[in-house]
Amino acid sequence: MDFKRRNGGPAMGGTSQAKKGKMNTEWEDSPSQFEEELALFDEMEMEAESGEGQAGDLFSADLNPRWKRPHAPPLQPNSDTLIFQQIDLDYYLGSAVAGMPGQVQGKVPIVRMFGVTDSGNSVCCHIHGFAPYFYVPAPNGFTSAHLAEFQRELNSAVLKDMRSNKDNIAVTVLAVDITRKESMYNYHGNKPHDFLRITMAMPRLIAPAKRLLEQGFKFANFATQSYQAYEANIDFEIRFMVDSDVVGCCWIELPKGKYRLREERSEGQTDSKYPGKVDVAWNDLVSHPAEGEWQRIAPLRVLSFDIECAGRKGVFPEPEIDPVIQIASMVQRQGEKEPFIRTVFTLQSCASIVGSQILCFTQEKQLLQSWAEFVRTVDPDIITGYNIQNFDLPYLLNRAATLKVNLFPYLGRVWGSKSVLKDSSFQSKQMGRRENKTVNMEGRVQFDLLQVLLRDYKLRSYTLNAVSFHFLQEQKEDVQHSIITDLQNGNEQTRRRLAVYCLKDAYLPLRLLQKLMCVINYMEMARVTGVPLTYLLSRGQQIKVVSQLLRQAMKQDLVMPVVRTEGGEDYTGATVIEPEKGYYSVPITTLDFSSLYPSIMMAHNLCYTTLLQKNQVEKLCLSPEDFIKTPTGDLFVKSSVRKGLLPEILENLLSARKRAKAELKKETDPFKKQVLDGRQLALKISANSVYGFTGAQVGKLPCLEISQSVTGFGRQMIEQTKQLVESTYTIANGYQADAKVIYGDTDSVMVKLGVATVQEAMNLGKQAADWVSSHFIPPIKLEFEKVYYPYLLINKKRYAGLYFSSNAEHHDKMDCKGIETVRRDNCPLVANLINTCLQNILIDRDPDGAVAHAKEVISDLLCNRIDISQLVITKELTRTAQEYAGKQAHVELAERCTHSTTWSSSCPNLYCASLNPYWARAKLRVCC
DNA sequence: AGAAATTCCTAT
DNA sequence: TCAGATAGGAATTTCT
């Protein structure tokens, strides 16, 4: 139930003043730490080729031997098996290749898979013969004799429906077959029915065919009727992967004799870049499950880059006007410690930097052109950087277009495919409206670190500087945006200063990627859920569940309906037990249901396939032992009648997680450990998102009966837990005191067991957890999790305490939930004040000290000892400040304030809005 | 002036 | 064509 890693926490102490000062040194000073680090990288032959970068020579193996991929061994399709790790796939419409299965006439969809071999050579595999399809239920009385007529009618209806037929499509419906399937929605007696499987010539023909069939379709002497479509809303790539048992980032084997080498496309490109441009039939490729040796990761090339522009004073750079003056690039092989290419392309001369290569250009056009060629030569599998998706890449493309560098925008791996900029926007309840830019680069995974962090981490600030400090305790080279243009217009030394800055901005994303193990974790997520790596950053949560659902359903010949999406009413969620607010100077035991919602779904077999409509009970002659009634009154058949798909998926995920954790314990190789840890994390997140999928009312397959029942069971369980604990652990039953549940939220209860020590609270807690667990159906399990001692319960979802989990002698941390110290909408002064007060109360057990400290800070504030020049006065602050300090103090306060700026998380030194002395005082009174 | 609605961000 | 959920505290603004 934790959807995002939290990394908030107060920005402690007077962080930056002192450190900031140090960074403001002049550029002539001694080399920065980063420069020393750069210099320590291995001695390379790549030293300064300063002077004019001449495109033709630059890319030769003699001059830059590291740029190209390693030379590929010759490949003999008849005797060599080709094995590679697939990292991305897409499809295109092309002409059929002779000898391959599928349609021969016209344009056919061809799946294109990109990957890397163990030796680091790239592969582009064209996969033939797979066509898109969907299902509709066969109408009553339909037999195989009607197939041809149905196909003919639908084909002509789709043709007629087309506004234009640019591609000259002659046949739209390739085939119609009868197959035995069953809808996955509702239990209807395990009886398969006849379904029509309709195969279309192209993915984009599915939508019109589905629409025409839904609107009412007539053929032969069957009456006009509406056909409910099944699986007509599945992305073609996912369809292909599910059907061919391919998961994201898995290893693919093309057996010898089963594939063909593709002729190189002239251009003198017959180098080692694409040793494996191959064609294969879709049913000839072998996909290896990510187990054993197939868990490994190929030596992927990761390129990180950063650009600098010479903007005008006070204006955000515009690509139509402001030039690109530097591009720094670093390339690293996945799994290695440091980048093996470190390069800056600069406009005008630039003094050398030890440990990196500087290429100078006099013409911006040439700089851009050469960098694009550099990308094509290095041929990275993954492209990263900070905000490259919405800034650097769009800027480069627009700048190249302005300067008419016509060969620039070909950055992908597909020869002749132009990279174009697109604006896209999507909205969701969670994120609101969000505008995004996208650039297509076939075969390369764009892994913008900013996007990764926005998705996976809750942070106070997302600037590269703040993020680097947070995760690496390291900061950017300090160069103000406003002086970039001046540095560029200076001399080769000032441009060198800029280049160091630029290099660091390319280097930091690599370091962060490594530290956070992004590539490994995302790959494991792709493998676990079965979707391509790129989907994980470009799409939402739902597609991952859909992919798993389809895979599981296929095994049982179940098909997924297309439901029209309509936002319904809100449904009831979890219970939060009314807190007994107060300060507890005794140990408080916390018991948690582990994986509550997944375990409820498994215990009660809740699924689309087990949902029973009331009128079906009699129809299917079910006895009361065959089904259950959930707290919301919905009926589900038991697993003895039919095992649900969702419980099955969850069991697989959770047992795989157990295995991964067990292996993790045994494993000694740190790299394999990382992979396993990434896997167990992915498995946990995936299990938790299944419930959300059923409750997503604007989704692919919402089922409120399931999600309502899940939360209903949850509410029942937490009440029952409270009741069980309070009725069992009593003086009457021989315990030291009557236990009292003082708080609980969703899946946890906080219990005052009336024992004196943390150790006793742990022991009795474990016992209580087992006792309660025995009252529930497996795998539902209540677990002892921690003891708080002391504990301050302020309100629902707001509390703090010293956290003991394993060692009863020492607390692990001070745990704060929902309080200002963990919220990002308060200024650091408030967070620090509250944090210190809590420490006073919980650690020093000195509430008077807390009050004294608060008074001191407030007095500092009122007496002008704290810079609040950026403070915003709100009505509330006016009122409370008056109450607290009297009118005169407030007037003085107001005089020192401006009305224009709000507190900005990017400026931790500004003490601004929501500093509310009255609030702090009142809260402390309540607490103490 | 006080109630209701809105905004933000968190807990689970 | 795309988007995981509800509960809930606190500050602030808007409505009556």
Side-chain angles (χ1 to χ4, degrees):
Chain A
M1 261 159 279
D2 200 23
F3 299 113
K4 201 164 185 175
R5 273 171 259 181
R6 263 141 240 256
N7 280 275
M12 280 313 152
T15 39
S16 20
Q17 290 299 14
K19 287 170 196 163
K20 264 238 162 102
K22 190 184 87 190
M23 307 296 270
N24 277 334
T25 48
E26 287 295 299
W27 48 264
E28 291 93 345
D29 279 4
S30 55
S32 67
Q33 209 181 332
F34 173 56
E35 278 185 64
E36 288 167 15
E37 197 177 341
L38 264 178
L40 281 176
F41 286 139
D42 64 345
E43 289 301 317
M44 304 182 42
E45 323 80 75
M46 55 151 62
E47 76 278 347
E49 278 300 319
S50 43
E52 187 73 357
Q54 207 47 50
D57 309 324
L58 266 184
F59 307 98
S60 70
D62 296 336
L63 207 53
N64 283 300
R66 297 185 180 220
W67 287 10
K68 285 188 180 173
R69 284 187 181 268
H71 186 70
L75 195 60
Q76 302 294 335
N78 284 323
S79 53
D80 295 335
T81 296
L82 180 56
I83 293 175
F84 61 96
Q85 187 191 8
Q86 158 265 129
I87 56 153
D88 193 20
L89 81 179
D90 61 7
Y91 77 92
Y92 65 99
L93 297 175
S95 304
V97 167
M100 289 294 161
Q103 272 294 100
V104 183
Q105 295 292 312
K107 297 278 183 204
V108 298
I110 299 167
V111 175
R112 189 166 45 192
M113 212 180 244
F114 301 92
V116 179
T117 63
D118 278 313
S119 54
N121 297 111
S122 76
V123 174
C124 176
C125 178
H126 300 253
I127 303 164
H128 302 265
F130 186 78
Y133 61 88
F134 67 106
Y135 299 96
V136 296
N140 285 330
F142 193 97
T143 68
S144 54
H146 301 109
L147 284 171
E149 182 68 9
F150 185 96
Q151 180 178 352
R152 197 158 50 237
E153 284 298 324
L154 183 60
N155 183 53
S156 60
V158 174
L159 277 174
K160 221 165 88 184
D161 183 68
M162 291 193 287
R163 271 186 295 130
S164 67
N165 191 347
K166 272 187 295 187
D167 294 324
N168 252 327
I169 303 169
V171 184
T172 60
V173 184
L174 294 186
V176 180
D177 307 280
I178 299 183
T179 125
R180 301 290 281 176
K181 295 279 176 185
E182 199 179 341
S183 170
M184 70 164 68
Y185 212 105
N186 287 331
Y187 177 75
H188 17 63
N190 286 329
K191 282 195 278 296
H193 296 278
D194 279 346
F195 274 75
L196 303 181
R197 180 182 137 131
I198 301 166
T199 308
M200 307 299 290
M202 300 172 183
R204 69 173 162 85
L205 294 175
I206 295 238
K210 162 188 170 266
R211 179 167 41 80
L212 291 167
L213 284 163
E214 273 174 353
Q215 278 169 0
F217 173 72
K218 176 163 174 51
F219 75 99
N221 46 8
F222 284 77
T224 302
Q225 59 169 299
S226 166
Y227 293 79
Q228 154 95 59
Y230 288 74
E231 302 188 5
N233 53 352
I234 310 298
D235 299 288
F236 187 57
E237 292 90 347
I238 296 289
R239 177 83 274 166
F240 168 78
M241 291 172 82
V242 168
D243 287 29
S244 54
D245 219 11
V246 167
V247 296
C249 298
C250 68
W251 286 83
I252 298 289
E253 175 175 341
L254 307 186
K256 57 187 174 190
K258 297 284 192 178
Y259 67 97
R260 299 212 305 244
L261 270 184
R262 195 166 257 228
E263 289 300 309
E264 279 297 338
R265 253 201 145 119
S266 67
E267 300 310 308
Q269 291 270 3
T270 35
D271 53 34
S272 60
K273 199 159 140 195
Y274 294 123
K277 264 192 176 177
V278 296
D279 289 294
V280 68
W282 84 278
N283 41 0
D284 278 337
L285 67 82
V286 178
S287 163
H288 291 285
E291 287 158 16
E293 58 167 328
W294 302 114
Q295 296 183 37
R296 68 182 188 271
I297 293 174
L300 306 178
R301 288 185 158 209
V302 184
L303 162 70
S304 176
F305 77 98
D306 180 55
I307 70 170
E308 301 303 333
C309 320
R312 293 147 294 153
K313 282 249 150 41
V315 189
F316 197 75
E318 293 167 39
E320 291 74 20
I321 303 164
D322 303 309
V324 172
I325 52 177
Q326 293 194 347
I327 309 179
S329 314
M330 295 228 177
V331 187
Q332 184 167 351
R333 279 179 217 94
Q334 172 61 32
E336 290 185 3
K337 283 240 263 321
E338 47 190 58
F340 65 96
I341 298 177
R342 304 172 290 272
T343 300
V344 201
F345 286 49
T346 70
L347 190 58
Q348 308 310 339
S349 64
C350 177
S352 66
I353 299 171
V354 180
S356 63
Q357 175 187 34
I358 295 175
L359 298 165
C360 305
F361 298 83
T362 51
Q363 300 294 317
E364 188 190 358
K365 275 184 84 162
Q366 265 244 307
L367 189 161
L368 293 177
Q369 159 103 32
S370 298
W371 188 76
E373 190 56 36
F374 167 78
V375 171
R376 291 188 283 264
T377 306
V378 168
D379 186 33
D381 304 294
I382 294 175
I383 297 195
T384 188
Y386 210 74
N387 202 19
I388 54 169
Q389 186 189 331
N390 286 310
F391 180 73
D392 300 58
L393 282 171
Y395 199 97
L396 286 174
L397 285 186
N398 283 330
R399 188 65 189 159
T402 304
L403 297 180
K404 301 196 169 52
V405 188
N406 297 328
L407 287 180
F408 184 87
Y410 297 88
L411 298 171
R413 279 178 158 163
V414 175
W415 195 88
S417 166
K418 190 169 176 175
S419 300
V420 288
L421 183 61
K422 261 198 210 155
D423 283 301
S424 70
S425 84
F426 69 82
Q427 51 187 352
S428 73
K429 251 191 227 170
Q430 192 180 217
M431 312 241 240
R433 222 185 144 70
R434 194 161 283 193
E435 306 265 318
N436 260 317
K437 297 180 194 303
T438 58
V439 175
N440 60 300
M441 255 193 245
E442 291 78 3
R444 309 197 201 286
V445 177
Q446 290 177 52
F447 216 82
D448 186 337
L449 197 79
L450 173 61
Q451 301 298 323
V452 173
L453 293 170
L454 285 173
R455 265 180 185 249
D456 295 345
Y457 296 90
K458 284 215 159 202
L459 300 174
R460 282 172 183 267
S461 166
Y462 288 95
T463 62
L464 180 56
N465 202 24
V467 163
S468 305
F469 186 72
H470 186 272
F471 290 112
L472 305 169
Q473 288 76 51
E474 202 170 310
Q475 298 202 298
K476 299 201 339 173
E477 296 292 296
D478 197 43
V479 171
Q480 295 285 339
H481 278 291
S482 52
I483 65 161
I484 288 179
T485 305
D486 295 335
L487 290 177
Q488 172 65 16
N489 292 337
N491 52 39
E492 63 168 27
Q493 285 300 325
T494 62
R495 284 189 289 273
R496 178 183 184 281
R497 172 83 186 111
L498 190 56
V500 172
Y501 168 79
C502 193
L503 267 171
K504 181 131 197 191
D505 280 8
Y507 182 52
L508 284 172
L510 276 185
R511 290 279 309 279
L512 286 162
L513 219 54
Q514 215 168 357
K515 172 95 183 181
L516 304 175
M517 301 191 298
C518 297
V519 175
I520 289 174
N521 288 352
Y522 269 68
M523 265 192 195
E524 284 304 317
M525 181 59 90
R527 286 171 169 174
V528 163
T529 59
V531 305
L533 196 57
T534 47
Y535 276 40
L536 297 177
L537 273 172
S538 65
R539 307 278 294 263
Q541 304 293 322
Q542 294 206 31
I543 187 65
K544 297 191 278 185
V545 183
V546 169
S547 159
Q548 295 172 83
L549 199 53
L550 285 173
R551 287 167 200 269
Q552 201 70 36
M554 202 168 67
K555 296 181 193 163
Q556 297 180 36
D557 282 326
L558 293 163
V559 288
M560 193 173 101
V562 179
V563 296
R564 66 179 187 289
T565 151
E566 58 182 87
E569 280 167 35
D570 287 354
Y571 67 89
T572 319
T575 297
V576 183
I577 294 175
E578 192 58 43
E580 297 226 340
K581 299 172 204 172
Y583 172 75
Y584 294 85
S585 58
V586 292
I588 300 296
T589 306
T590 304
L591 308 177
D592 282 48
F593 285 105
S594 55
S595 303
L596 178 71
Y597 288 175
S599 63
I600 288 175
M601 294 172 94
M602 288 186 278
H604 299 104
N605 201 36
L606 307 182
C607 184
Y608 305 99
T609 59
T610 58
L611 176 60
L612 185 61
Q613 297 302 328
K614 295 200 170 60
N615 59 15
Q616 294 284 300
V617 177
E618 287 165 30
K619 235 186 197 168
L620 298 168
C621 300
L622 292 168
S623 75
E625 293 85 62
D626 291 333
F627 59 91
I628 58 151
K629 191 172 193 175
T630 70
T632 46
D634 298 302
L635 310 181
F636 290 86
V637 298
K638 292 187 181 169
S639 57
S640 50
V641 178
R642 158 178 265 169
K643 179 91 191 245
L645 290 176
L646 297 181
E648 228 168 272
I649 290 172
L650 290 169
E651 276 164 29
N652 291 341
L653 288 172
L654 294 180
S655 70
R657 178 159 187 245
K658 265 192 194 148
R659 279 203 309 277
K661 282 178 116 176
E663 277 182 63
L664 180 63
K665 245 184 194 166
K666 278 189 297 183
E667 187 60 63
T668 49
D669 176 15
F671 188 71
K672 286 180 185 165
K673 271 186 120 139
Q674 286 180 11
V675 173
L676 288 168
D677 196 50
R679 168 165 312 177
Q680 69 85 15
L681 185 69
L683 289 162
K684 178 184 161 182
I685 296 171
S686 300
N688 281 337
S689 59
V690 171
Y691 154 77
F693 178 78
T694 66
Q697 293 180 48
V698 188
K700 277 255 158 72
L701 198 59
C703 181
L704 293 198
E705 288 91 340
I706 296 175
S707 46
Q708 286 267 37
S709 297
V710 170
T711 57
F713 275 119
R715 289 192 297 274
Q716 224 175 49
M717 286 162 59
I718 199 166
E719 284 299 334
Q720 200 182 338
T721 302
K722 176 176 152 77
Q723 198 271 328
L724 274 169
V725 170
E726 290 185 348
S727 65
T728 308
Y729 294 87
T730 60
I731 296 171
N733 285 344
Y735 293 94
Q736 288 177 34
D738 287 338
K740 176 77 185 146
V741 171
I742 56 164
Y743 179 58
D745 186 344
T746 311
D747 58 356
S748 65
V749 287
M750 275 65 160
V751 197
K752 186 174 74 178
L753 286 166
V755 293
T757 66
V758 172
Q759 190 60 59
E760 286 173 280
M762 287 177 165
N763 297 342
L764 201 55
K766 282 173 190 156
Q767 192 193 321
D770 289 342
W771 161 250
V772 174
S773 296
S774 69
H775 290 74
F776 293 105
I777 304 171
I780 293 173
K781 193 167 174 246
L782 188 70
E783 286 175 338
F784 162 79
E785 201 177 76
K786 67 218 168 200
V787 169
Y788 284 120
Y789 177 59
Y791 184 56
L792 180 64
L793 180 51
I794 298 169
N795 213 333
K796 283 183 177 174
K797 298 184 193 287
R798 289 167 71 83
Y799 61 81
L802 298 190
Y803 181 113
F804 293 77
S805 61
S806 45
N807 186 336
E809 304 302 319
H810 300 285
H811 64 269
D812 303 329
K813 58 182 172 182
M814 185 173 84
D815 202 20
C816 300
K817 291 293 162 72
I819 303 175
E820 274 57 30
T821 52
V822 297
R823 292 180 67 93
R824 298 175 297 172
D825 53 356
N826 284 94
C827 62
L829 182 63
V830 167
N832 288 333
L833 167 63
I834 301 295
N835 190 59
T836 308
C837 290
L838 287 172
Q839 280 178 355
N840 278 333
I841 294 166
L842 298 169
I843 300 177
D844 311 331
R845 307 226 188 174
D846 176 19
D848 294 337
V851 175
H853 178 256
K855 279 187 178 165
E856 195 185 311
V857 172
I858 292 165
S859 140
D860 283 349
L861 179 69
L862 294 173
C863 300
N864 212 358
R865 288 193 289 266
I866 295 176
D867 173 23
I868 51 163
S869 57
Q870 303 289 318
L871 187 78
V872 173
I873 303 231
T874 64
K875 278 188 211 164
E876 184 70 8
L877 180 58
T878 308
R879 192 175 64 80
T880 54
Q882 270 175 23
E883 276 178 39
Y884 179 72
K887 278 202 169 127
Q888 192 49 47
H890 172 250
V891 171
E892 284 168 20
L893 189 65
E895 278 169 1
R896 288 157 33 211
C897 301
T898 66
H899 294 253
S900 54
T901 321
T902 52
W903 175 66
S904 141
S905 57
S906 61
C907 273
N909 290 319
L910 299 183
Y911 300 121
C912 308
S914 49
L915 177 65
N916 183 331
Y918 172 76
W919 177 87
R921 190 187 56 150
K923 277 302 157 209
L924 283 167
R925 200 177 49 215
V926 170
C927 299
C928 302

